[in-house]
Amino acid sequence: MATIVKCARTGCTERAALKRPKTGHPVCRNCFFSVFEEEIHHTIMQGKLFSHGERVALGASGGKDSTVLIHVLKTLNERYNYGIEFILLSIDEGIAGYRDDSLETVKRNETHYELPLHILSYKDVYGWTMDSIVDKIGKKSNCTFCGVFRRQALDKGALMLHADKIATGHNADDIAETILMNIMRGDTSRLQRCTAIVTNSEGNLPRVKPLKYSYEKEIVLYAYYKKLDYFSTECKYAPQSYRGRVRSYLKDLERLEPVSIMNIIYSGECLIVDSRVKKSIQSTCTRCGYVSSQAVCHACTLLEGLNKDLPLLVLGKHNRRANKELLASTAYVKTDSEITDFESKCNCSNNQIIDF
Amino acid sequence: MKYIETYDLPLTILPIQLALSDPDFSDEDDLSKLSDEKSAELRDNLNSCSNSSKRIQLLENYRRLLLIKFAKYMNINTILLNDNMNNQSSSLLTNMAMGRGDCLPNSIGFIDSRCDGVTFLRPLKCLLHKELSLYCDLYKLKYCPEHVLNNGDSILSLSERFLSELQCEFPATVSTVCRTGDKLTSSETVDCDEMNRCRLCDTVIIQTDSLSAVDAMRFSLSLFDEELSLDRICYACSQL
């Protein structure tokens, strides 16, 4: 005879409908909704993510994370009177069979939640779609292009909409993945920044991640039980990515020890980079004015490479000919960290590259 | 053991269960008696761990505690460990997944100075396993494979497999991970609201009221009337 498991919340006598992936507690459906929403409310209040009267652009992709983000924030805004005005901002990367379908979902969200929606496409902003970029560069480094372009496009879109802040649906699994990625790549600058719940580069709009401590599995369960309308297909370019391998490792970790995702986030928050390690200095791009640690920002450099038929520019450290051509055509200057073992620094000016 | 004896250096073998008590290392009878008494406690402690990852961590903590106790008895202030680049990179990822980010610079760095009076050094941490094997072969040094408690079902074995698969395609993986670890520093050099040390691993416990993963977990547990107490124990050891 099967044992009936009761909900673990004090005072609740309902039968448990699921076991929480995050803490392992058996909970009934209503208590699950309640604890999930309360945790996000706690994150918002403790992290002071919003202020009364703010206009917040919600990154809306039509996927489970952004749909749950929209639903929960609208619910909490009404329940706790945050006094925030939300607008939906969607970026169309131009991936046929993926983004065009998910945008239909976002349009339904616009109607259902009665929130204004603005869609900005890569084609409008950069003149390229992701499909045309992949045709050019092949199936490697796709996420680099997409991530860099999307980030800038979100900022541009939010500025156009006069938003005070951008909220994205990055969840605990995403943050843990990013921490591991930055360790694997040796990117200590990003490692220090990536655990911040509010990222606030000067000149850019602040970005907040209210779902930072929410597990992806719980987001899926919440969306499923609430019967939310979302689009759930993986980007067709994602499996070949480096991040895909790290994601697979993270999923295996979660299977062994579910709390390992929170452990990785905790560990990432504790990491302190030695002050003697060289840090990137923030300035602005000489071409587009976007915040950048280089003279020309990453997006402009990637675009330059695409437009000049040198698409792998900056991506690999061995493209010396390609880098030389770019150096000749623009004012791009390599930083010390990008100078390869085969190049050296001239004593008279540390920014000049000499070929042996 | 016969390989170590060929070096003609004083050798002491201590049962790990002595870490659970304060033994008198000068009295062999006392050591033998304590060892028998504490073996049941050791077995119980290991069995109370819910998975092999926690068992491995707990044994590692006991090993460290015992080394410190014996070093203090012998007036030794420096202990050299045999960690190489491969196992340090796996340890880095494992420690991240076990919530040991706060002691990472000590647990995987060249110097581990968590304990006053006894410092651990890792002189081989910049060498790959392959390089060490080649060195042993060239100089015809005899060694036996390390006894690994790792039974394949732990976070450590998962991390080792992940890194060795990546290393095949990206040969700089292991060295990059280790170099990232080298760029980290410990919180002992930073001002904190409150400081005390974990009784198991000597890590500094930082208490703060601002939003963090610990605060989020504490809140999640409070919704079910449970507590996350970090009184004289760090976040990672509280899970063992």
Side-chain angles (χ1 to χ4, degrees):
Chain A
M1 190 170 137
T3 317
I4 294 174
V5 179
K6 294 272 189 201
C7 176
R9 277 204 96 183
T10 311
C12 182
T13 53
E14 292 293 314
R15 187 175 170 166
L18 60 122
K19 186 175 162 186
R20 281 200 78 186
K22 189 173 179 181
T23 57
H25 293 111
V27 281
C28 67
R29 206 176 286 199
N30 287 334
C31 287
F32 171 63
F33 294 151
S34 168
V35 299
F36 184 82
E37 289 161 6
E38 285 307 303
E39 282 172 0
I40 295 170
H41 173 63
H42 174 83
T43 302
I44 290 169
M45 299 311 287
Q46 198 73 351
K48 299 181 176 57
L49 301 191
F50 303 122
S51 305
H52 200 275
E54 270 185 335
R55 192 171 155 86
V56 177
L58 303 180
S61 63
K64 59 176 176 11
D65 297 326
S66 57
T67 304
V68 166
L69 179 75
I70 295 164
H71 182 92
V72 172
L73 284 184
K74 191 156 193 281
T75 304
L76 294 177
N77 194 31
E78 284 160 12
R79 187 182 297 165
Y80 293 106
N81 196 24
Y82 292 161
I84 297 166
E85 185 193 344
F86 289 121
I87 34 179
L88 303 182
L89 175 59
S90 201
I91 305 297
D92 179 5
E93 300 97 341
I95 302 174
Y98 171 69
R99 188 51 79 210
D100 40 7
D101 290 343
S102 70
L103 282 178
E104 292 307 312
T105 312
V106 180
K107 286 171 188 164
R108 289 197 297 272
N109 282 342
E110 177 194 16
T111 314
H112 179 76
Y113 294 105
E114 295 170 344
L115 295 172
L117 166 67
H118 186 85
I119 301 175
L120 200 59
S121 72
Y122 278 10
K123 188 79 182 162
D124 293 336
V125 182
Y126 306 111
W128 289 79
T129 63
M130 267 314 292
D131 284 341
S132 56
I133 291 171
V134 173
D135 283 341
K136 194 99 176 174
I137 67 171
K139 295 242 174 104
K140 236 183 160 184
S141 305
N142 303 155
C143 291
T144 301
F145 279 85
C146 195
V148 169
F149 286 167
R150 190 187 311 110
R151 189 180 178 84
Q152 264 209 28
L154 263 177
D155 280 329
K156 284 182 177 140
L159 279 168
M160 274 164 48
L161 297 171
H162 307 291
D164 299 305
K165 228 161 240 180
I166 301 171
T168 57
H170 288 97
N171 57 48
D173 297 50
D174 294 327
I175 307 288
E177 240 169 67
T178 304
I179 292 168
L180 294 176
M181 283 271 295
N182 288 329
I183 289 174
M184 311 295 297
R185 288 166 22 175
D187 193 334
T188 45
S189 300
R190 282 205 174 98
L191 190 57
Q192 268 202 290
R193 295 194 305 261
C194 68
T195 51
I197 197 167
V198 182
T199 42
N200 196 352
S201 306
E202 241 181 78
N204 280 350
L205 285 181
R207 275 164 191 252
V208 300
K209 303 177 190 95
L211 303 185
K212 180 185 174 188
Y213 299 113
S214 302
Y215 272 34
E216 185 175 36
K217 273 199 176 121
E218 296 204 349
I219 289 171
V220 171
L221 283 168
Y222 185 89
Y224 173 74
Y225 282 123
K226 282 277 188 183
K227 295 182 175 42
L228 301 183
D229 183 7
Y230 66 94
F231 181 74
S232 73
T233 298
E234 197 182 38
C235 175
K236 61 188 182 187
Y237 302 129
Q240 293 93 355
S241 66
Y242 192 83
R243 185 178 274 266
R245 296 165 203 252
V246 177
R247 184 177 303 127
S248 174
Y249 167 66
L250 191 70
K251 288 298 151 197
D252 290 336
L253 275 179
E254 192 187 4
R255 254 191 298 276
L256 276 180
E257 184 64 74
V259 81
S260 57
I261 293 176
M262 286 301 269
N263 287 349
I264 291 171
I265 298 177
Y266 170 74
S267 298
E269 287 168 350
C270 293
L271 297 181
I272 303 170
V273 176
D274 198 313
S275 54
R276 291 167 293 181
V277 172
K278 191 173 176 176
K279 288 189 183 66
S280 52
I281 299 163
Q282 221 162 60
S283 59
T284 50
C285 175
T286 51
R287 290 191 170 194
C288 67
Y290 194 71
V291 170
S292 170
S293 57
Q294 322 288 334
V296 178
C297 73
H298 208 174
C300 286
T301 313
L302 292 174
L303 265 177
E304 182 79 15
L306 285 169
N307 293 330
K308 284 186 177 269
D309 225 15
L310 297 165
L312 299 179
L313 209 59
V314 174
L315 291 177
K317 290 189 176 172
H318 307 296
N319 289 308
R320 289 157 69 198
R321 178 172 157 250
N323 284 340
K324 251 205 236 174
E325 288 187 29
L326 179 63
L327 203 66
S329 64
T330 69
Y332 179 73
V333 175
K334 261 190 172 183
T335 60
D336 288 353
S337 62
E338 286 173 345
I339 293 172
T340 69
D341 292 335
F342 302 104
E343 297 162 342
S344 183
K345 292 172 269 189
C346 169
N347 284 334
C348 62
S349 168
N350 280 337
N351 286 331
Q352 292 300 318
I353 299 162
I354 300 172
D355 275 335
F356 289 109
Chain B
M1 229 27 70
K2 58 183 181 189
Y3 299 133
I4 300 173
E5 281 163 0
T6 59
Y7 295 101
D8 208 21
L9 292 169
L11 169 67
T12 307
I13 301 169
L14 296 170
I16 199 164
Q17 53 265 40
L18 291 179
L20 297 167
S21 60
D22 282 317
D24 177 4
F25 290 105
S26 59
D27 184 345
E28 278 193 27
D29 290 333
D30 180 53
L31 286 182
S32 175
K33 191 173 150 214
L34 263 176
S35 169
D36 293 334
E37 280 171 14
K38 291 294 177 183
S39 61
E41 190 181 333
L42 175 70
R43 211 169 24 249
D44 290 340
N45 288 351
L46 292 176
N47 288 339
S48 69
C49 294
S50 54
N51 55 48
S52 54
S53 305
K54 291 180 182 173
R55 272 191 286 278
I56 292 170
Q57 275 284 310
L58 193 59
L59 279 170
E60 195 51 48
N61 282 345
Y62 288 155
R63 179 174 167 261
R64 186 177 169 275
L65 276 173
L66 186 56
L67 282 171
I68 288 169
K69 284 179 184 178
F70 188 68
K72 284 182 173 171
Y73 164 72
M74 296 286 284
N75 285 323
I76 292 169
N77 54 20
T78 307
I79 299 176
L80 303 184
L81 300 174
N82 64 347
D83 297 317
N84 60 49
M85 199 189 277
N86 293 78
N87 60 27
Q88 286 302 80
S89 58
S90 316
S91 293
L92 192 152
L93 293 188
T94 304
N95 283 348
M96 289 292 290
M98 303 288 290
R100 293 201 171 279
D102 42 9
C103 67
L104 216 52
N106 282 304
S107 59
I108 62 117
F110 175 64
I111 300 174
D112 179 350
S113 54
R114 280 174 282 178
C115 176
D116 284 334
V118 179
T119 304
F120 290 86
L121 297 181
R122 298 182 177 91
L124 304 180
K125 78 174 289 293
C126 294
L127 298 170
L128 288 166
H129 177 75
K130 210 184 261 186
E131 289 171 317
L132 294 169
S133 302
L134 280 169
Y135 185 90
C136 290
D137 284 345
L138 284 170
Y139 283 91
K140 302 205 180 354
L141 302 177
K142 290 191 170 36
Y143 63 94
C144 60
E146 270 185 50
H147 173 62
V148 176
L149 297 158
N150 203 352
N151 65 359
D153 188 28
S154 65
I155 291 178
L156 180 60
S157 66
L158 179 65
S159 304
E160 280 170 354
R161 264 197 316 273
F162 170 63
L163 283 172
S164 63
E165 280 163 13
L166 265 186
Q167 179 81 358
C168 293
E169 202 177 328
F170 303 98
T173 299
V174 165
S175 56
T176 303
V177 170
C178 281
R179 265 208 311 278
T180 309
D182 290 341
K183 292 177 186 172
L184 302 172
T185 187
S186 77
S187 54
E188 287 171 71
T189 57
V190 177
D191 288 337
C192 315
D193 293 332
E194 214 177 282
M195 277 172 72
N196 53 49
R197 287 191 181 270
C198 174
R199 60 177 187 267
L200 269 181
C201 67
D202 285 326
T203 299
V204 169
I205 303 167
I206 302 170
Q207 310 279 9
T208 174
D209 291 330
S210 57
L211 181 66
S212 66
V214 168
D215 176 74
M217 276 306 277
R218 197 177 271 128
F219 182 77
S220 298
L221 292 172
S222 72
L223 293 173
F224 293 87
D225 298 326
E226 288 177 19
E227 269 185 46
L228 173 63
S229 173
L230 298 181
D231 183 31
R232 286 232 59 215
I233 195 160
C234 69
Y235 172 71
C237 291
S238 69
Q239 295 174 39
L240 295 177

